[in-house]
Amino acid sequence: MIRLENVLFRYPHDSFSLDIGELEIPAKQHAAVIGPSGCGKTTLLRLIAGILPIEQGSIAVQTLLVHEMPLAERQRFRIQNIGLVFQEFELLDYLTVGENILLPYRVSDALTLDQAAENRAAQLAETAGISPLFDRYPAEMSQGERQRVSICRALVTNPNIILADEPTGNLDPENQQKAVDLLKTQASETEATLVMVTHEHELLSNFERVVDLADL
């Protein structure tokens, strides 16, 4: 469950602000977030993930008050519970596909890289259709292949919550649907909550709920 109440966020020295009276996304729900450019869709995901601090209000994720956690605790909570998918992929060029997928296990001692994690990475790569690329580097892959790697990386820790920030924005229509299918299938199998920001309205029929940020 994700719940935001009376949340106000403002960037320092910037006119932008995000004001949310109330937003609740039940556990296991698949929700799409829409809204005009610049309205704060990416900021919303960063608030839920505990990346950005709020000025007032409350943010509860799985009954925990994320806004009250110290920075180190928020980081630990995020790596253990939240899978993040970025529009620009954010892959490390000097790591192979397999190494990029397993990256969460190498950046924090909150996770243990063991055989089960390696098996999970291999299984996700096979499901995503990128097993033959496991030892290749990002520069050797297409846009769609790189996005599937980034999705696998977000899913490899079996997160309770998947936050995807316009993961289809750089993809052609066929790969857009493949990316959404992969996210939804894995979220359903692990009973994770899925929140995806998108400006592709033709993809909205894939989701149980559509949240228009402009209406909050």
Side-chain angles (χ1 to χ4, degrees):
M1 185 273 291
I2 300 167
R3 183 173 179 82
L4 288 79
E5 290 187 278
N6 301 316
V7 166
L8 175 62
F9 171 81
R10 285 186 284 211
Y11 286 106
H13 314 297
D14 195 307
S15 61
F16 173 84
S17 67
L18 181 61
D19 192 345
I20 298 176
E22 183 176 5
L23 172 62
E24 182 170 320
I25 300 174
K28 306 178 188 179
Q29 188 173 76
H30 297 176
V33 177
I34 62 172
S37 179
C39 73
K41 300 185 294 297
T42 295
T43 299
L44 172 64
L45 296 191
R46 291 177 178 173
L47 292 175
I48 294 171
I51 296 172
L52 297 173
I54 57 174
E55 188 170 318
Q56 67 181 46
S58 66
I59 301 176
V61 181
Q62 296 181 315
T63 74
L64 297 176
L65 296 177
V66 175
H67 67 285
E68 293 184 351
M69 294 179 180
L71 176 60
E73 190 177 343
R74 291 202 311 270
Q75 291 172 333
R76 195 172 185 87
F77 173 79
R78 182 164 60 250
I79 198 92
Q80 290 177 321
N81 295 276
I82 297 176
L84 291 165
V85 185
F86 304 95
Q87 181 179 359
E88 300 298 332
F89 316 144
E90 305 296 341
L91 302 180
L92 298 182
D93 292 338
Y94 56 87
L95 297 182
T96 65
V97 165
E99 290 167 340
N100 266 293
I101 293 174
L102 287 167
L103 186 61
Y105 290 92
R106 301 186 185 278
V107 298
S108 172
D109 62 3
L111 301 172
T112 300
L113 179 56
D114 54 16
Q115 191 60 52
E118 292 182 356
N119 291 344
R120 169 78 172 157
Q123 176 192 357
L124 282 167
E126 183 175 354
T127 301
I130 53 175
S131 285
L133 309 175
F134 209 71
D135 295 319
R136 293 190 187 180
Y137 293 88
E140 302 174 276
M141 296 182 292
S142 69
Q143 293 282 85
E145 290 165 344
R146 276 179 273 177
Q147 185 59 291
R148 278 178 274 168
V149 175
S150 73
I151 291 173
C152 290
R153 180 187 56 198
L155 299 172
V156 73
T157 60
N158 278 326
N160 300 306
I161 295 169
I162 302 165
L163 304 177
D165 187 9
E166 298 200 40
T168 63
N170 291 316
L171 306 180
D172 58 72
E174 180 181 357
N175 280 310
Q176 285 179 352
Q177 190 60 54
K178 285 181 179 178
V180 172
D181 289 344
L182 179 58
L183 285 167
K184 284 175 52 64
T185 298
Q186 293 298 314
S188 296
E189 289 182 359
T190 60
E191 298 187 336
T193 306
L194 171 61
V195 182
M196 188 181 106
V197 166
T198 184
H199 63 271
E200 309 288 347
H201 284 220
E202 60 270 22
L203 297 175
L204 297 182
S205 60
N206 291 280
F207 294 86
E208 303 167 71
R209 178 184 177 193
V210 176
V211 176
D212 190 337
L213 200 54
D215 293 338
L216 298 181

